[in-house]
mmCIF file of all heavy atoms in Angstrom:
data_model
loop_
_atom_site.group_PDB
_atom_site.id
_atom_site.type_symbol
_atom_site.label_atom_id
_atom_site.label_comp_id
_atom_site.label_asym_id
_atom_site.label_seq_id
_atom_site.Cartn_x
_atom_site.Cartn_y
_atom_site.Cartn_z
ATOM 1 N N ASP F 1 -6.912 0.634 2.890
ATOM 2 C CA ASP F 1 -8.142 -0.036 3.480
ATOM 3 C C ASP F 1 -9.366 0.978 3.572
ATOM 4 O O ASP F 1 -10.415 0.654 3.413
ATOM 5 C CB ASP F 1 -7.853 -0.702 4.840
ATOM 6 C CG ASP F 1 -6.923 -1.818 4.758
ATOM 7 O OD1 ASP F 1 -6.752 -2.372 3.582
ATOM 8 O OD2 ASP F 1 -6.357 -2.162 5.721
ATOM 9 N N LYS F 2 -9.030 2.139 3.862
ATOM 10 C CA LYS F 2 -10.030 3.131 4.025
ATOM 11 C C LYS F 2 -10.421 3.636 2.723
ATOM 12 O O LYS F 2 -11.723 3.915 2.498
ATOM 13 C CB LYS F 2 -9.500 4.416 4.928
ATOM 14 C CG LYS F 2 -9.317 3.959 6.399
ATOM 15 C CD LYS F 2 -8.665 5.157 7.007
ATOM 16 C CE LYS F 2 -8.457 4.759 8.666
ATOM 17 N NZ LYS F 2 -7.765 5.806 9.337
ATOM 18 N N ILE F 3 -9.679 3.760 1.730
ATOM 19 C CA ILE F 3 -9.898 4.196 0.383
ATOM 20 C C ILE F 3 -10.902 3.240 -0.280
ATOM 21 O O ILE F 3 -11.905 3.439 -0.865
ATOM 22 C CB ILE F 3 -8.691 4.565 -0.598
ATOM 23 C CG1 ILE F 3 -8.012 5.747 0.028
ATOM 24 C CG2 ILE F 3 -9.107 4.745 -1.938
ATOM 25 C CD1 ILE F 3 -6.673 6.008 -0.663
ATOM 26 N N ASN F 4 -10.479 1.992 -0.405
ATOM 27 C CA ASN F 4 -11.219 0.858 -0.707
ATOM 28 C C ASN F 4 -12.064 1.074 -1.968
ATOM 29 O O ASN F 4 -13.338 0.932 -2.083
ATOM 30 C CB ASN F 4 -12.238 0.409 0.524
ATOM 31 C CG ASN F 4 -12.667 -1.116 0.319
ATOM 32 O OD1 ASN F 4 -12.043 -1.830 -0.472
ATOM 33 N ND2 ASN F 4 -13.793 -1.348 0.940
ATOM 34 N N TYR F 5 -11.300 1.402 -3.089
ATOM 35 C CA TYR F 5 -11.892 1.513 -4.368
ATOM 36 C C TYR F 5 -12.871 2.658 -4.518
ATOM 37 O O TYR F 5 -13.805 2.555 -5.446
ATOM 38 C CB TYR F 5 -12.556 0.137 -4.787
ATOM 39 C CG TYR F 5 -11.681 -1.192 -4.828
ATOM 40 C CD1 TYR F 5 -11.895 -1.981 -3.980
ATOM 41 C CD2 TYR F 5 -10.780 -1.102 -5.838
ATOM 42 C CE1 TYR F 5 -11.045 -3.099 -3.907
ATOM 43 C CE2 TYR F 5 -9.910 -2.343 -5.925
ATOM 44 C CZ TYR F 5 -10.039 -3.265 -4.952
ATOM 45 O OH TYR F 5 -9.254 -4.407 -4.964
ATOM 46 N N GLN F 6 -12.806 3.649 -3.780
ATOM 47 C CA GLN F 6 -13.657 4.805 -3.914
ATOM 48 C C GLN F 6 -13.096 5.713 -5.121
ATOM 49 O O GLN F 6 -12.025 5.646 -5.541
ATOM 50 C CB GLN F 6 -13.710 5.624 -2.681
ATOM 51 C CG GLN F 6 -14.325 4.928 -1.489
ATOM 52 C CD GLN F 6 -14.326 5.779 -0.305
ATOM 53 O OE1 GLN F 6 -14.829 6.920 -0.343
ATOM 54 N NE2 GLN F 6 -13.709 5.252 0.783
ATOM 55 N N LYS F 7 -14.083 6.555 -5.596
ATOM 56 C CA LYS F 7 -13.783 7.551 -6.613
ATOM 57 C C LYS F 7 -13.042 8.781 -6.037
ATOM 58 O O LYS F 7 -12.233 9.516 -6.812
ATOM 59 C CB LYS F 7 -14.903 7.926 -7.361
ATOM 60 C CG LYS F 7 -15.540 6.830 -8.332
ATOM 61 C CD LYS F 7 -16.637 7.188 -9.193
ATOM 62 C CE LYS F 7 -17.215 6.052 -10.036
ATOM 63 N NZ LYS F 7 -18.339 6.487 -10.804
ATOM 64 N N SER F 8 -13.334 9.124 -4.838
ATOM 65 C CA SER F 8 -12.796 10.100 -4.195
ATOM 66 C C SER F 8 -12.757 9.952 -2.675
ATOM 67 O O SER F 8 -13.482 9.093 -2.121
ATOM 68 C CB SER F 8 -13.563 11.427 -4.447
ATOM 69 O OG SER F 8 -14.890 11.420 -3.960
ATOM 70 N N TYR F 9 -11.839 10.588 -1.875
ATOM 71 C CA TYR F 9 -11.591 10.225 -0.613
ATOM 72 C C TYR F 9 -11.258 11.479 0.269
ATOM 73 O O TYR F 9 -10.467 12.250 -0.142
ATOM 74 C CB TYR F 9 -10.493 9.170 -0.379
ATOM 75 C CG TYR F 9 -10.162 8.755 1.066
ATOM 76 C CD1 TYR F 9 -11.216 8.202 1.793
ATOM 77 C CD2 TYR F 9 -9.094 9.221 1.599
ATOM 78 C CE1 TYR F 9 -10.822 7.931 3.148
ATOM 79 C CE2 TYR F 9 -8.772 8.901 2.906
ATOM 80 C CZ TYR F 9 -9.716 8.196 3.739
ATOM 81 O OH TYR F 9 -9.448 7.976 5.066
ATOM 82 N N LYS F 10 -12.044 11.716 1.402
ATOM 83 C CA LYS F 10 -11.820 12.761 2.233
ATOM 84 C C LYS F 10 -10.820 12.271 3.256
ATOM 85 O O LYS F 10 -11.058 11.290 4.056
ATOM 86 C CB LYS F 10 -13.115 13.122 2.904
ATOM 87 C CG LYS F 10 -12.961 14.433 3.849
ATOM 88 C CD LYS F 10 -14.150 14.900 4.389
ATOM 89 C CE LYS F 10 -14.185 15.999 5.234
ATOM 90 N NZ LYS F 10 -15.457 16.507 5.741
ATOM 91 N N LEU F 11 -9.685 12.820 3.389
ATOM 92 C CA LEU F 11 -8.553 12.431 4.210
ATOM 93 C C LEU F 11 -8.926 12.589 5.684
ATOM 94 O O LEU F 11 -9.513 13.594 6.139
ATOM 95 C CB LEU F 11 -7.272 13.282 4.000
ATOM 96 C CG LEU F 11 -6.619 13.082 2.607
ATOM 97 C CD1 LEU F 11 -5.370 14.025 2.513
ATOM 98 C CD2 LEU F 11 -6.290 11.741 2.141
ATOM 99 N N GLU F 12 -8.529 11.503 6.402
ATOM 100 C CA GLU F 12 -8.817 11.434 7.842
ATOM 101 C C GLU F 12 -7.586 11.827 8.713
ATOM 102 O O GLU F 12 -7.640 12.155 9.887
ATOM 103 C CB GLU F 12 -9.290 10.057 8.379
ATOM 104 C CG GLU F 12 -10.644 9.671 7.686
ATOM 105 C CD GLU F 12 -11.110 8.317 8.204
ATOM 106 O OE1 GLU F 12 -10.435 7.660 9.069
ATOM 107 O OE2 GLU F 12 -12.128 7.728 7.647
ATOM 108 N N ALA F 13 -6.461 11.877 7.967
ATOM 109 C CA ALA F 13 -5.277 12.277 8.505
ATOM 110 C C ALA F 13 -4.290 12.917 7.505
ATOM 111 O O ALA F 13 -4.497 12.731 6.405
ATOM 112 C CB ALA F 13 -4.401 11.149 9.181
ATOM 113 N N ASP F 14 -3.361 13.712 8.001
ATOM 114 C CA ASP F 14 -2.400 14.299 7.040
ATOM 115 C C ASP F 14 -1.500 13.204 6.288
ATOM 116 O O ASP F 14 -1.179 12.288 6.904
ATOM 117 C CB ASP F 14 -1.310 15.199 7.734
ATOM 118 C CG ASP F 14 -2.058 16.375 8.558
ATOM 119 O OD1 ASP F 14 -3.210 16.705 8.301
ATOM 120 O OD2 ASP F 14 -1.302 17.181 9.368
ATOM 121 N N THR F 15 -1.382 13.510 5.100
ATOM 122 C CA THR F 15 -0.677 12.544 4.248
ATOM 123 C C THR F 15 0.007 13.350 3.032
ATOM 124 O O THR F 15 0.038 14.525 2.887
ATOM 125 C CB THR F 15 -1.542 11.371 3.771
ATOM 126 O OG1 THR F 15 -0.660 10.338 3.118
ATOM 127 C CG2 THR F 15 -2.595 11.913 2.801
ATOM 128 N N ASN F 16 0.420 12.585 2.074
ATOM 129 C CA ASN F 16 0.969 13.166 0.718
ATOM 130 C C ASN F 16 0.447 12.333 -0.504
ATOM 131 O O ASN F 16 0.003 11.239 -0.353
ATOM 132 C CB ASN F 16 2.365 13.303 0.874
ATOM 133 C CG ASN F 16 3.175 11.927 1.077
ATOM 134 O OD1 ASN F 16 2.999 11.003 0.426
ATOM 135 N ND2 ASN F 16 4.035 11.873 2.151
ATOM 136 N N LEU F 17 0.681 12.855 -1.611
ATOM 137 C CA LEU F 17 0.292 12.162 -2.759
ATOM 138 C C LEU F 17 0.959 10.877 -2.990
ATOM 139 O O LEU F 17 0.410 9.887 -3.538
ATOM 140 C CB LEU F 17 0.465 13.037 -4.052
ATOM 141 C CG LEU F 17 -0.530 14.189 -4.266
ATOM 142 C CD1 LEU F 17 -0.178 14.918 -5.477
ATOM 143 C CD2 LEU F 17 -1.870 13.552 -4.380
ATOM 144 N N SER F 18 2.182 10.709 -2.613
ATOM 145 C CA SER F 18 3.011 9.613 -2.759
ATOM 146 C C SER F 18 2.440 8.265 -1.991
ATOM 147 O O SER F 18 2.331 7.058 -2.501
ATOM 148 C CB SER F 18 4.545 9.745 -2.316
ATOM 149 O OG SER F 18 5.096 10.640 -3.205
ATOM 150 N N ASP F 19 2.010 8.619 -0.719
ATOM 151 C CA ASP F 19 1.380 7.641 0.064
ATOM 152 C C ASP F 19 -0.085 7.228 -0.538
ATOM 153 O O ASP F 19 -0.308 6.057 -0.538
ATOM 154 C CB ASP F 19 1.255 8.128 1.420
ATOM 155 C CG ASP F 19 2.568 8.019 2.330
ATOM 156 O OD1 ASP F 19 3.481 7.377 1.754
ATOM 157 O OD2 ASP F 19 2.534 8.645 3.282
ATOM 158 N N ILE F 20 -0.648 8.220 -1.139
ATOM 159 C CA ILE F 20 -2.018 7.867 -1.749
ATOM 160 C C ILE F 20 -1.739 7.102 -2.887
ATOM 161 O O ILE F 20 -2.472 6.001 -3.120
ATOM 162 C CB ILE F 20 -2.755 9.113 -2.024
ATOM 163 C CG1 ILE F 20 -3.008 9.876 -0.764
ATOM 164 C CG2 ILE F 20 -4.071 8.804 -2.681
ATOM 165 C CD1 ILE F 20 -3.661 11.333 -0.981
ATOM 166 N N ALA F 21 -0.783 7.332 -3.702
ATOM 167 C CA ALA F 21 -0.420 6.506 -4.919
ATOM 168 C C ALA F 21 -0.097 5.091 -4.607
ATOM 169 O O ALA F 21 -0.548 4.178 -5.256
ATOM 170 C CB ALA F 21 0.809 7.171 -5.662
ATOM 171 N N SER F 22 0.780 4.890 -3.373
ATOM 172 C CA SER F 22 0.960 3.524 -3.068
ATOM 173 C C SER F 22 -0.345 2.777 -2.611
ATOM 174 O O SER F 22 -0.515 1.669 -2.822
ATOM 175 C CB SER F 22 1.955 3.515 -1.873
ATOM 176 O OG SER F 22 3.267 4.038 -2.284
ATOM 177 N N ALA F 23 -1.220 3.611 -1.816
ATOM 178 C CA ALA F 23 -2.391 2.988 -1.368
ATOM 179 C C ALA F 23 -3.346 2.543 -2.551
ATOM 180 O O ALA F 23 -3.901 1.445 -2.297
ATOM 181 C CB ALA F 23 -3.111 3.928 -0.387
ATOM 182 N N VAL F 24 -3.410 3.353 -3.558
ATOM 183 C CA VAL F 24 -4.403 2.882 -4.613
ATOM 184 C C VAL F 24 -3.657 2.034 -5.577
ATOM 185 O O VAL F 24 -4.431 1.387 -6.480
ATOM 186 C CB VAL F 24 -4.896 4.142 -5.447
ATOM 187 C CG1 VAL F 24 -5.582 5.105 -4.457
ATOM 188 C CG2 VAL F 24 -3.733 4.929 -6.053
ATOM 189 N N SER F 25 -2.458 1.562 -5.482
ATOM 190 C CA SER F 25 -1.784 0.803 -6.355
ATOM 191 C C SER F 25 -1.935 -0.685 -5.885
ATOM 192 O O SER F 25 -1.754 -1.603 -6.757
ATOM 193 C CB SER F 25 -0.292 1.144 -6.458
ATOM 194 O OG SER F 25 -0.069 2.348 -7.074
ATOM 195 N N ASP F 26 -2.081 -0.926 -4.659
ATOM 196 C CA ASP F 26 -2.174 -2.223 -4.110
ATOM 197 C C ASP F 26 -3.637 -2.734 -4.175
ATOM 198 O O ASP F 26 -4.491 -2.456 -3.367
ATOM 199 C CB ASP F 26 -1.711 -2.231 -2.688
ATOM 200 C CG ASP F 26 -1.837 -3.493 -1.929
ATOM 201 O OD1 ASP F 26 -1.995 -4.561 -2.873
ATOM 202 O OD2 ASP F 26 -1.758 -3.702 -0.734
ATOM 203 N N THR F 27 -3.978 -3.448 -5.294
ATOM 204 C CA THR F 27 -5.408 -3.826 -5.428
ATOM 205 C C THR F 27 -5.327 -5.415 -5.650
ATOM 206 O O THR F 27 -5.150 -6.038 -4.597
ATOM 207 C CB THR F 27 -5.832 -3.254 -6.842
ATOM 208 O OG1 THR F 27 -4.908 -3.677 -7.919
ATOM 209 C CG2 THR F 27 -5.982 -1.776 -6.755
ATOM 210 N N LYS F 28 -5.654 -6.032 -6.583
ATOM 211 C CA LYS F 28 -5.763 -7.469 -6.815
ATOM 212 C C LYS F 28 -5.002 -7.892 -7.982
ATOM 213 O O LYS F 28 -4.900 -7.152 -9.030
ATOM 214 C CB LYS F 28 -7.311 -7.927 -6.702
ATOM 215 C CG LYS F 28 -8.113 -7.146 -7.708
ATOM 216 C CD LYS F 28 -9.585 -7.307 -7.468
ATOM 217 C CE LYS F 28 -10.533 -6.607 -8.361
ATOM 218 N NZ LYS F 28 -11.932 -6.806 -8.027
ATOM 219 N N LYS F 29 -4.544 -9.005 -7.991
ATOM 220 C CA LYS F 29 -3.898 -9.599 -9.106
ATOM 221 C C LYS F 29 -4.770 -10.742 -9.736
ATOM 222 O O LYS F 29 -5.305 -11.560 -9.202
ATOM 223 C CB LYS F 29 -2.621 -10.370 -8.681
ATOM 224 C CG LYS F 29 -1.615 -9.420 -7.991
ATOM 225 C CD LYS F 29 -0.479 -10.177 -7.424
ATOM 226 C CE LYS F 29 0.664 -9.309 -6.864
ATOM 227 N NZ LYS F 29 0.279 -8.557 -5.647
ATOM 228 N N PRO F 30 -5.004 -10.525 -11.169
ATOM 229 C CA PRO F 30 -5.878 -11.584 -11.784
ATOM 230 C C PRO F 30 -5.221 -12.972 -11.913
ATOM 231 O O PRO F 30 -3.999 -13.117 -11.929
ATOM 232 C CB PRO F 30 -5.934 -10.969 -13.317
ATOM 233 C CG PRO F 30 -4.658 -10.121 -13.471
ATOM 234 C CD PRO F 30 -4.338 -9.698 -12.038
ATOM 235 N N ILE F 31 -6.109 -13.869 -11.899
ATOM 236 C CA ILE F 31 -5.696 -15.270 -12.076
ATOM 237 C C ILE F 31 -6.289 -16.045 -13.283
ATOM 238 O O ILE F 31 -7.540 -15.811 -13.481
ATOM 239 C CB ILE F 31 -6.070 -16.247 -10.905
ATOM 240 C CG1 ILE F 31 -5.618 -15.563 -9.524
ATOM 241 C CG2 ILE F 31 -5.783 -17.639 -10.962
ATOM 242 C CD1 ILE F 31 -6.283 -16.067 -8.185
ATOM 243 N N TYR F 32 -5.547 -16.372 -14.278
ATOM 244 C CA TYR F 32 -5.927 -16.872 -15.432
ATOM 245 C C TYR F 32 -5.889 -18.485 -15.487
ATOM 246 O O TYR F 32 -4.772 -19.008 -15.269
ATOM 247 C CB TYR F 32 -5.123 -16.292 -16.656
ATOM 248 C CG TYR F 32 -5.280 -14.821 -16.857
ATOM 249 C CD1 TYR F 32 -4.327 -13.963 -16.245
ATOM 250 C CD2 TYR F 32 -6.393 -14.306 -17.488
ATOM 251 C CE1 TYR F 32 -4.350 -12.537 -16.364
ATOM 252 C CE2 TYR F 32 -6.375 -12.896 -17.601
ATOM 253 C CZ TYR F 32 -5.495 -11.916 -16.984
ATOM 254 O OH TYR F 32 -5.492 -10.638 -17.122
ATOM 255 N N ILE F 33 -7.036 -19.105 -15.503
ATOM 256 C CA ILE F 33 -7.002 -20.602 -15.448
ATOM 257 C C ILE F 33 -7.398 -21.199 -16.764
ATOM 258 O O ILE F 33 -8.321 -20.746 -17.449
ATOM 259 C CB ILE F 33 -7.968 -20.991 -14.227
ATOM 260 C CG1 ILE F 33 -7.499 -20.471 -12.890
ATOM 261 C CG2 ILE F 33 -8.040 -22.482 -14.164
ATOM 262 C CD1 ILE F 33 -8.404 -20.722 -11.754
ATOM 263 N N THR F 34 -6.568 -22.160 -17.141
ATOM 264 C CA THR F 34 -6.898 -23.042 -18.317
ATOM 265 C C THR F 34 -7.268 -24.396 -17.822
ATOM 266 O O THR F 34 -6.476 -24.986 -17.037
ATOM 267 C CB THR F 34 -5.727 -23.006 -19.220
ATOM 268 O OG1 THR F 34 -5.335 -21.720 -19.660
ATOM 269 C CG2 THR F 34 -6.001 -23.872 -20.459
ATOM 270 N N VAL F 35 -8.428 -24.932 -18.212
ATOM 271 C CA VAL F 35 -8.759 -26.230 -17.899
ATOM 272 C C VAL F 35 -8.823 -27.152 -19.088
ATOM 273 O O VAL F 35 -8.890 -26.591 -20.244
ATOM 274 C CB VAL F 35 -10.213 -26.308 -17.242
ATOM 275 C CG1 VAL F 35 -10.157 -25.418 -15.840
ATOM 276 C CG2 VAL F 35 -11.259 -25.726 -18.124
ATOM 277 N N LEU F 36 -8.813 -28.425 -18.757
ATOM 278 C CA LEU F 36 -8.923 -29.466 -19.910
ATOM 279 C C LEU F 36 -10.455 -29.989 -19.650
ATOM 280 O O LEU F 36 -10.737 -30.414 -18.648
ATOM 281 C CB LEU F 36 -7.872 -30.572 -19.689
ATOM 282 C CG LEU F 36 -6.450 -30.220 -20.041
ATOM 283 C CD1 LEU F 36 -5.668 -31.543 -19.810
ATOM 284 C CD2 LEU F 36 -6.370 -29.712 -21.500
#
């Protein structure tokens, strides 16, 4: 939530690359709609 699609981020608390990887992986899922 804090990173929120930024290009870079200044950490507010200690963490590791694995947690950052998980954080930036949860984004949005595309919806493809076909209409008649």
Side-chain angles (χ1 to χ4, degrees):
D1 294 340
K2 290 175 179 175
I3 289 175
N4 197 22
Y5 300 110
Q6 297 180 54
K7 291 183 179 180
S8 62
Y9 176 67
K10 186 176 181 179
L11 297 178
E12 296 180 9
D14 295 352
T15 187
N16 55 57
L17 283 184
S18 294
D19 282 347
I20 298 172
S22 295
V24 299
S25 297
D26 181 17
T27 54
K28 49 191 177 184
K29 298 177 174 71
I31 302 171
Y32 299 94
I33 299 177
T34 301
V35 299
L36 291 179

